[in-house]
Amino acid sequence: MKLNTTDLTSILKASESPVSGLIEINDISIDSRSLRNTKGTLYFAIEGAFHNGHDYIEELIRKEVTYFVVRTVPENVKGKATFFVVEDTLKSLQEFVAYYRTLFDIPVIGITGSNGKTIVKEWLNFLLHPFYNIIKSPKSYNSQVGVPLSVIGINEKHTLGIFEAGISLPGEMAVLEKIIQPTIGILTSIGSAHNEGFENLDQKIDEKLKLFKGVDVLIYEKNESIQKKTASIQSHYDWSFTAEARVRFQHIKDNTYTVNYDANSFSVDFPFSDQASVHNIASCITTLLALGIDTAYIQDKITQLYRVEMRLQVKNGLQQCTLIDDSYSSDYQSLKIALDFLEQQKTHPQKTVILSDILQSGFSDEILYQKVGTLLQNNNINRIIGIGPNISFYLKHLQHFEGFHSTLDFLNHFDLKKFKDETILIKGARSYAFEQIVSELEEKTHETVLEINLNAISHNFNFYKSKLLPETKTMVMVKAFGYGNGSYEIAKLLAFHKVDYLGVAFADEGVALRKSGIKSAIIVMNPENSAFSTMISYQLEPEIYSLPELKTFLTEAKKHSLYEYPIHIKLNTGMNRLGFNDTHFEELIAILESTNSVKVASIFSHLATSDMPEERKFTLQQIKLFQKWSSYLTDQLRIKPIRHILNTSGIFNFPEYQMEMVRLGIGLYGVGNSEQENEKLQNVTTLKTIILQLNDVGEGESVGYGRRFIADKPTKTATIPIGYADGIRRAYGNGKGEVSINGKRAKIIGSICMDMMMIDVTDTGAVVGDEVIIFGEEIPITELALKWETIPYEVMTSISQRVKRIFFKE
C-alpha cells in the first residue's frame, strides 16, 4: 500500500510528518520477534501491561525495518528510521486499520456473543466459500489488537469479510465497530464469559450490540429485549426452536429438523446433537437464508459441517521430530501466525513446512504464491513440501521445495523416514485431509493425553511479571520435566518471553534442554559433584551450597582453565535443607577471594512458608536474615550479584522484597497457594482420555478386581484407558474420585487397575468414544490433591511419561 506521509500522519493522528512524499507499506507488525519484520513493515510499538514495544526498536532497525509508530523516540535510535510520534500507539493502530477498512466497499459479517463466535465464523466460511472470495479472522483474533490484525488482510479481490469481535470491558466494542464496519450482524449466545468487566448482563448486551449500529441485517436467537434495543436496524432475522420467529426450527427425530422460513419449509439433518452446536448451526442456516442461498444447497452442505479445531497443537513425531498440527486450516493470514508459532516452538534448527494449496486469499494465484514464497524464505524454512496443483506449480522454483499433486500422492511417494530431528508445520485446507499426514508422522501412544495450554502459561507468566518492577529479572523453574508438563516445550516458550534464567534440579535435565536447542542461562539447583564436568561442557551454572561442593567445583574449573565461570551461592536462612550459614562465611569469602575461576552470579535463599499467612512472621524473619547475610557477603567480596529469595507465593504475597530477581515455579502452571492467587491464574493442564466400552451392570453384580463395587441398582459403567501406571493413585478409586463427561460428574467405581479404570455413567448420556476429563477446568487439580491428601506438585509430577503431551496455542 502506497501512502503519502502527510496523509499517514493525519490517519495516525501523529504530531508531525517526519518526511514528505510517498512510502510503501507491505505489512504491519506489533511483534518484534516475528521474522516477517522487514523493509516495508510499519511497526506499532504497543505498550502493554507486560511488554513495551519501544524496547525492541533498535533490534528491528537492524532487520531493516524503517517505519515506526511510537509514543516517544528512544534516544539511541533518533535519526536512524522514520518515526510517527502519537499519543497512544494501540489507538493509532486501530485508527489506521479503520481508515484501511473504508477503502473497500464489500459486505462484511460481524459476529459477537459470549460463545460460538469462532465456530460460526469458520462454518460460514465453509458454507459460503462457493459464492464469495472470503477474508476472515484467523483463529480467534477478536480482541482490540486481534481485530485490526485481521481486517488489515482485506484486499481488492475479496468479496465478503467475516470478522469476530470479543470484548471484556465497556467502551471496547465501539472501537471494534469502527474497524470492522459490518453490514451484516450475527449475535451468538450470551453467557457468563468476561462478566467480571460489566455491572450486569444487560450492560454487557448493550455493549455487544454496539457492533451492529450500522448493519442492514441482524441475525440472532429470538429475544424481545434485543429486538427492542435494535429496532432501528432495517432487517431482522430472528430464529428460535421454541417460539414463533422469522426462522423457526422444529425437531422431528434424531438429528433432523424442519426449517420454517417465511412461507417456505424444508428439512435439514444436523451433523451434531449437542446444544451449543445445534444453536451455532441455527445461526449459520439463518445467515444463509438472509443471503438468499438456495435451500437445496443448505440441505446438502449443512450435513458436511465439521468439528472446528481452533488451536495450533504441538505433538511428538516419529524419529525425534516435533509436529505443529494446523491440519484443518489454510489461508494466507493464518499462515503468517503459524510460521511465527513455528519459530517460537521449533525444537530443532531444521524447519519443515508441509502446505496445501491456499483456496482463498483475495490475490491472484501468481501474486498469492509469490507472497507465500517470500514468507517461507523470510522464515528460513529448510524444507518445503507443497501439496496441490497450484502450490506445486508456482513454488517449484524455490530451493528445497518438493511438490505433490495430492495428499495421497505425497503419502504414496514420499519416504517419511526422511523426516528426522526437525520441526514440521503441517498446514492444509480441510479438503486435503492433512490429518492423514499427522496420523502417519505422529508418535503412537494410547488415547490418554495431557494437554498443555501455552496461552495459559503465557498468561500466568505475565501475571506474575506484572507484580514486578520492569528491571526485576525472572528465573522460572522447569525441573521435574516442567512439573510433569514437558520441560523443553515450556522452556522454548519462556525463551520467547525472554526470561533471564531457567532452573532445573539435576544436570541431566539441563543437558537435555541444551541438546534440544535451549540457549537460555540454566541454573542446576541440586548439582552432583560427579556431573560438574558435564555441566561445564554444556554451560550449566551450579548452585553452590557447601564448602566441600565449592572446593570440588573449583578443582574441576581449574582442569578446564575456566575464568569467572558463573556460580550461585545458596544461603540457609531457615529452610534447613541446603545452604551456607554465617559460620561458613569467613572460609567462603577466603576461597572466593583467592580464585578467578568462578564469579558469584547470584546469592539466594529459599522461603519455607511464603504460602502460609499464619507464618508471615517467620517468612519476614527469613527475608531479614537473607538481607543481612547477602549484604555482608557482597560487601566483603566487593561484588554486586543478583539477589533472589521470592518463590511463586513470595511474588504474590511479598512483592516488596523482589530484589534483583524472583523465582517462579508452580504458579506458572496455573496453581497458586490461595484462593485470591488462583483467581488470577488460568488452567494450564488437562488430563483426558476416552470411553473404550460401555457395560450394563445388573443389581448385585460387581465391577473390577476384588469385587469392591457391587451395584445396588441397574448401572451403566464405562471403561477408560488410564490407571495407576499413568500416575492415578489406586486409592482414588472405589467412589473416592470423580471424572467429567459431557459436563457431568461421574464417580470412579471399583479398584483402579494398572491401565484402566471404570466409572459410573448412568446419568451422563455417555457413548463410546466420548471424552473424559480426569483433571482440568472442570475438575481442578487442587481437588485431586485434596483427595489424595497431598499437594498439586505431586499430582502434576506423578503423570507418567507414557501419557502423550500435547501442547497447543489458541
Side-chain angles (χ1 to χ4, degrees):
M1 175 172 54
K2 291 182 179 180
L3 276 172
N4 187 289
T5 53
T6 304
D7 294 336
L8 183 55
T9 301
S10 176
I11 294 163
L12 297 171
K13 293 184 169 55
S15 56
E16 59 182 36
S17 180
V19 293
S20 60
L22 288 175
I23 61 173
E24 185 164 358
I25 298 170
N26 299 324
D27 203 352
I28 67 170
S29 173
I30 61 167
D31 189 348
S32 64
R33 298 162 294 195
S34 174
L35 295 180
R36 292 184 286 115
N37 291 311
T38 57
K39 191 174 183 180
T41 298
L42 178 63
Y43 176 78
F44 289 81
I46 304 293
E47 296 175 282
F50 313 116
H51 299 288
N52 187 340
H54 293 77
D55 296 339
Y56 311 108
I57 291 175
E58 186 173 24
E59 174 187 333
L60 287 166
I61 290 174
R62 288 197 293 270
K63 295 179 181 177
E64 297 188 330
V65 176
T66 53
Y67 305 126
F68 296 87
V69 180
V70 298
R71 187 178 55 79
T72 182
V73 182
E75 286 293 330
N76 60 328
V77 296
K78 284 185 175 177
K80 296 182 179 179
T82 299
F83 295 98
F84 297 88
V85 180
V86 300
E87 289 186 8
D88 185 326
T89 52
L90 173 57
K91 188 175 180 181
S92 289
L93 169 66
Q94 294 165 340
E95 294 281 356
F96 176 76
V97 180
Y99 160 78
Y100 182 79
R101 167 68 181 90
T102 64
L103 303 179
F104 301 93
D105 183 20
I106 61 172
V108 169
I109 299 173
I111 306 173
T112 193
S114 300
N115 304 293
K117 296 185 294 293
T118 303
I119 293 170
V120 169
K121 177 200 69 188
E122 294 295 332
W123 281 352
L124 285 176
N125 178 64
F126 168 74
L127 294 166
L128 294 171
H129 167 253
F131 308 103
Y132 298 94
N133 197 339
I134 300 172
I135 172 73
K136 64 181 177 68
S137 310
K139 302 297 179 183
S140 54
Y141 268 43
N142 58 32
S143 67
Q144 297 291 297
V145 171
V147 169
L149 295 180
S150 302
V151 173
I152 198 68
I154 301 175
N155 66 50
E156 62 276 2
K157 297 292 185 180
H158 290 124
T159 57
L160 177 68
I162 311 177
F163 301 108
E164 55 177 297
I167 56 170
S168 55
L169 293 170
E172 291 183 337
M173 190 60 84
V175 175
L176 300 186
E177 189 280 333
K178 187 178 178 183
I179 299 169
I180 297 173
Q181 299 170 39
T183 58
I184 300 167
I186 300 176
L187 181 66
T188 63
S189 65
I190 300 290
S192 59
H194 304 296
N195 270 357
E196 62 276 9
F198 302 92
E199 293 177 5
N200 51 50
L201 183 60
D202 201 50
Q203 184 195 36
K204 181 178 177 180
I205 292 172
D206 286 342
E207 182 68 20
K208 287 185 177 292
L209 292 178
K210 289 178 182 177
L211 178 63
F212 309 131
K213 77 171 190 177
V215 300
D216 302 317
V217 179
L218 180 61
I219 295 151
Y220 59 97
E221 184 175 9
K222 186 175 181 64
N223 182 300
E224 297 295 339
S225 174
I226 291 172
Q227 190 168 359
K228 289 177 182 177
K229 291 174 185 287
T230 58
S232 62
I233 293 175
Q234 180 179 332
S235 182
H236 286 248
Y237 279 78
D238 58 350
W239 58 265
S240 178
F241 288 90
T242 59
E244 287 303 319
R246 186 164 185 180
V247 182
R248 171 79 189 279
F249 294 87
Q250 185 177 0
H251 184 235
I252 304 302
K253 63 175 183 176
D254 300 327
N255 287 350
T256 302
Y257 291 81
T258 295
V259 184
N260 299 291
Y261 163 57
D262 291 343
N264 302 312
S265 180
F266 61 95
S267 64
V268 180
D269 291 329
F270 283 22
F272 306 111
S273 58
D274 62 284
Q275 186 181 38
S277 295
V278 167
H279 280 233
N280 290 333
I281 292 169
S283 288
C284 290
I285 291 175
T286 305
T287 304
L288 296 180
L289 292 172
L291 291 170
I293 304 300
D294 182 71
T295 56
Y297 175 85
I298 295 173
Q299 288 175 302
D300 174 58
K301 206 71 172 177
I302 287 294
T303 63
Q304 301 174 37
L305 291 178
Y306 47 85
R307 292 287 181 193
V308 174
E309 185 56 72
M310 294 181 286
R311 58 198 191 182
L312 291 153
Q313 297 187 72
V314 183
K315 302 175 178 179
N316 289 331
L318 300 174
Q319 290 138 208
Q320 294 78 53
C321 290
T322 297
L323 310 181
I324 297 178
D325 181 2
D326 195 12
S327 54
Y328 297 111
S329 171
S330 182
D331 59 82
Y332 182 67
Q333 289 290 87
S334 67
L335 175 60
K336 293 190 282 187
I337 296 168
L339 288 171
D340 282 346
F341 187 67
L342 169 62
E343 179 64 20
Q344 176 186 323
Q345 287 297 129
K346 65 180 180 184
T347 54
H348 310 279
Q350 176 87 5
K351 294 187 294 183
T352 293
V353 171
I354 303 175
L355 182 65
S356 79
D357 277 358
I358 295 176
L359 302 182
Q360 284 187 314
S361 70
F363 301 108
S364 66
D365 283 346
E366 186 174 359
I367 292 175
L368 167 65
Y369 289 105
Q370 181 182 1
K371 286 178 171 290
V372 169
T374 301
L375 201 56
L376 294 170
Q377 289 175 315
N378 288 345
N379 279 267
N380 304 316
I381 305 303
N382 306 97
R383 188 209 306 262
I384 304 165
I385 294 173
I387 297 180
N390 290 338
I391 195 170
S392 297
F393 176 76
Y394 284 103
L395 295 189
K396 62 187 178 183
H397 65 283
L398 290 184
Q399 193 176 13
H400 311 304
F401 178 85
E402 194 167 353
F404 297 87
H405 186 77
S406 66
T407 302
L408 186 62
D409 181 29
F410 166 72
L411 291 173
N412 285 339
H413 295 99
F414 187 87
D415 182 4
L416 299 182
K417 292 180 181 179
K418 288 182 179 180
F419 294 125
K420 188 174 182 180
D421 297 319
E422 53 196 287
T423 305
I424 307 170
L425 170 63
I426 303 169
K427 186 168 181 60
R430 176 167 292 275
S431 59
Y432 279 87
F434 270 19
E435 64 271 19
Q436 297 174 23
I437 299 175
V438 174
S439 178
E440 291 293 327
L441 293 178
E442 189 176 4
E443 185 178 71
K444 302 303 183 285
T445 55
H446 65 130
E447 296 287 353
T448 299
V449 299
L450 186 72
E451 291 187 342
I452 296 97
N453 185 337
L454 297 174
N455 298 81
I457 288 179
S458 294
H459 168 88
N460 297 338
F461 173 77
N462 286 329
F463 164 69
Y464 288 103
K465 189 81 172 170
S466 72
K467 309 279 286 184
L468 307 176
L469 297 170
E471 62 269 20
T472 303
K473 298 180 184 298
T474 53
M475 174 180 173
V476 181
M477 307 306 298
V478 292
K479 62 181 180 178
F481 192 56
Y483 290 65
N485 294 302
S487 53
Y488 170 74
E489 293 84 356
I490 292 170
K492 187 66 184 173
L493 178 63
L494 295 170
F496 186 71
H497 283 294
K498 300 186 178 180
V499 299
D500 299 282
Y501 285 92
L502 299 174
V504 298
F506 299 103
D508 57 350
E509 294 177 318
V511 170
L513 290 178
R514 287 284 186 251
K515 287 182 176 179
S516 297
I518 296 297
K519 295 180 172 58
S520 306
I522 298 174
I523 300 177
V524 180
M525 307 302 284
N526 303 313
E528 297 163 314
N529 291 357
S530 60
F532 282 155
S533 180
T534 299
M535 288 175 59
I536 291 167
S537 298
Y538 286 92
Q539 295 180 297
L540 306 175
E541 303 174 17
E543 167 191 308
I544 301 294
Y545 53 81
S546 70
L547 292 169
E549 184 203 17
L550 175 59
K551 292 172 183 176
T552 302
F553 186 78
L554 285 173
T555 299
E556 197 64 41
K558 288 174 183 174
K559 288 181 184 177
H560 287 79
S561 302
L562 298 182
Y563 176 72
E564 293 190 349
Y565 194 88
I567 63 172
H568 302 266
I569 302 296
K570 184 170 189 178
L571 305 182
N572 177 14
T573 58
M575 185 76 152
N576 289 318
R577 191 170 63 178
L578 292 173
F580 294 93
N581 59 48
D582 55 353
T583 62
H584 307 123
F585 286 176
E586 297 313 312
E587 188 173 356
L588 173 63
I589 291 167
I591 293 173
L592 291 174
E593 285 184 327
S594 66
T595 182
N596 61 6
S597 295
V598 298
K599 69 174 181 180
V600 179
S602 81
I603 299 176
F604 70 104
S605 188
H606 197 83
L607 296 176
T609 60
S610 62
D611 59 330
M612 302 169 65
E614 67 274 20
E615 292 287 353
R616 181 176 177 84
K617 182 178 179 181
F618 182 78
T619 299
L620 291 173
Q621 179 182 312
Q622 275 196 275
I623 292 171
K624 183 177 180 181
L625 187 58
F626 175 70
Q627 289 174 321
K628 176 183 175 182
W629 283 358
S630 61
S631 294
Y632 178 75
L633 289 173
T634 56
D635 289 345
Q636 293 298 309
L637 291 167
R638 299 177 298 282
I639 59 175
K640 288 187 176 181
I642 298 167
R643 297 170 304 150
H644 48 112
I645 192 170
L646 296 188
N647 53 8
T648 293
S649 292
I651 299 169
F652 188 78
N653 295 319
F654 301 92
E656 64 270 30
Y657 298 107
Q658 60 192 262
M659 303 182 196
E660 289 81 37
M661 187 163 75
V662 298
R663 300 188 306 276
L664 178 58
I666 191 75
L668 182 77
Y669 306 98
V671 181
N673 288 294
S674 70
E675 186 177 335
Q676 295 82 359
E677 192 174 353
N678 281 320
E679 285 177 355
K680 303 293 185 181
L681 303 176
Q682 292 183 0
N683 178 70
V684 168
T685 54
T686 300
L687 180 62
K688 61 171 60 174
T689 186
I690 64 167
I691 292 176
L692 292 180
Q693 182 173 324
L694 295 172
N695 290 299
D696 291 311
V697 178
E699 182 179 350
E701 292 186 328
S702 63
V703 174
Y705 286 119
R707 305 190 69 215
R708 289 184 173 84
F709 174 81
I710 306 292
D712 58 6
K713 59 183 178 181
T715 303
K716 186 176 287 293
T717 70
T719 302
I720 58 176
I722 184 171
Y724 57 77
D726 300 295
I728 305 301
R729 283 194 180 176
R730 192 168 180 270
Y732 194 49
N734 297 313
K736 188 173 184 179
E738 294 179 320
V739 299
S740 177
I741 306 170
N742 299 326
K744 297 179 180 178
R745 294 285 186 114
K747 282 194 173 296
I748 301 170
I749 56 175
S751 297
I752 292 177
C753 312
M754 180 180 289
D755 309 301
M756 287 176 283
M757 67 171 74
M758 283 68 74
I759 54 180
D760 182 349
V761 296
T762 305
D763 300 318
T764 65
V767 297
V768 171
D770 271 359
E771 185 177 85
V772 181
I773 305 297
I774 311 302
F775 63 73
E777 198 74 49
E778 298 90 338
I779 300 181
I781 197 170
T782 49
E783 181 179 320
L784 269 73
L786 189 64
K787 291 182 177 179
W788 289 14
E789 298 180 357
T790 185
I791 57 177
Y793 295 75
E794 185 176 350
V795 179
M796 294 173 77
T797 56
S798 295
I799 305 306
S800 168
Q801 292 301 298
R802 80 174 186 175
V803 174
K804 177 170 66 174
R805 271 68 173 171
I806 293 179
F807 299 83
F808 69 89
K809 182 177 181 181
E810 299 289 355

